[in-house]
Amino acid sequence: MPTSNTPSNIFQSKWLYLVVVVILSATTIAAWYYRQGHNKPVLHQLRDKQQGYTTYTGTAGERKKITLPDNTTVILNGNTRLMVPDSFMRQHVVLLDGEAYFDAPGPLIVKTNILIMTTQPAAAFKIRCFELQQGATAYLVSGKVQVTKSYLSTTDNQPEILGNGNMILANKEIDLMEKETYVPLEMKEWLDEKMSFEKEPFMNVMHKLEDWYGTEIYVDGNTAEVAPVTASFDHATLSQALDDLRKQTKFTYKISNEKVNITF
């Protein structure tokens, strides 16, 4: 009767050991690259190493309005970083990680890890593109903008020109960039910072708040029996909106730098 020390079993044991070592080595290498990628500065691949940058940061659950040296108006949504290089007045290029609205009176180039927006020659538009996400959207409000991919695409590198009512849907993972249309009224509401709900399901309201404030909302607990929400907000911060909503639905919440936790 063969024992565990037969040549066949010894070979299998060595082969299994080799497979385990290879898997562990690959996992270790992958983890190292993951940590290295997350230790790099935001938009590391787009930065000019010869340039200094001034960084403006949006506050979670709020919007911040700034004016660039060329009088471009910018509205930063929560969890957003805008990097303005020292050469801005010569090149009119900025880097964006997050969501922001730009009203540019002249030439402006906004670079993200998925899309590049170039005014022609002046335009107002909103773009949402977080470096840690694969999707991006951009909405033209006025003027014209040329949109291109900021990465090398093997399927389509042709630019799109956005006119009134046009938007861009993009996904880097599947290498997609398509021009679509949108409802201008929705953009007007966002710019006016006014939103209202009439007997709206609670989770629908949470999804709207996520989009409105550029954050993620996690709900813990049973929402099936939560009454529909009726409410309106005018220039409210996320905290103010949640404070008002919890009077109706009796939950607790906590806002961290990048997300909101709601508990029933």
Side-chain angles (χ1 to χ4, degrees), residues 90-234:
R90 298 194 305 273
Q91 300 176 335
H92 298 278
V93 176
V94 297
L95 308 183
L96 177 71
D97 174 35
E99 182 176 36
Y101 169 81
F102 298 86
D103 189 350
L108 180 68
I109 299 173
V110 179
K111 292 185 177 182
T112 72
N113 69 311
I114 298 177
L115 300 174
I116 298 176
M117 311 283 288
T118 305
T119 61
Q120 296 189 333
F125 59 92
K126 181 164 75 78
I127 178 170
R128 181 185 182 120
C129 186
F130 289 88
E131 186 174 22
L132 296 182
Q133 298 178 2
Q134 293 294 325
T137 55
Y139 304 81
L140 186 76
V141 177
S142 64
K144 287 186 178 180
V145 168
Q146 175 181 278
V147 186
T148 57
K149 297 174 182 176
S150 61
Y151 61 94
L152 179 62
S153 170
T154 58
T155 60
D156 180 15
N157 279 308
Q158 296 302 308
E160 293 281 4
I161 304 297
L162 301 188
N164 289 340
N166 286 153
M167 67 171 292
I168 283 287
L169 291 173
N171 188 296
K172 188 174 183 180
E173 187 174 20
I174 60 175
D175 197 17
L176 169 74
M177 186 179 80
E178 290 188 354
K179 181 166 70 172
E180 303 286 349
T181 59
Y182 73 96
V183 180
L185 178 61
E186 295 178 358
M187 180 61 63
K188 185 178 186 305
E189 291 175 346
W190 191 90
L191 290 171
D192 291 342
E193 297 189 55
K194 294 181 180 180
M195 62 177 160
S196 61
F197 304 100
E198 183 67 32
K199 296 182 179 180
E200 192 77 17
F202 180 79
M203 290 307 299
N204 287 6
V205 175
M206 293 302 103
H207 294 320
K208 180 66 176 289
L209 293 179
E210 281 186 314
D211 182 66
W212 197 267
Y213 294 102
T215 190
E216 294 180 329
I217 299 178
Y218 298 88
V219 179
D220 183 19
N222 183 17
T223 62
E225 297 182 0
V226 176
V229 173
T230 296
S232 60
F233 305 105
D234 186 351

Side-chain angles (χ1 to χ4, degrees), residues 67-74 88-89 92-93 103-109:
T67 302
L68 300 182
D70 66 347
N71 290 322
T72 292
T73 299
V74 183
F88 175 76
M89 288 304 292
H92 298 278
V93 176
D103 189 350
L108 180 68
I109 299 173

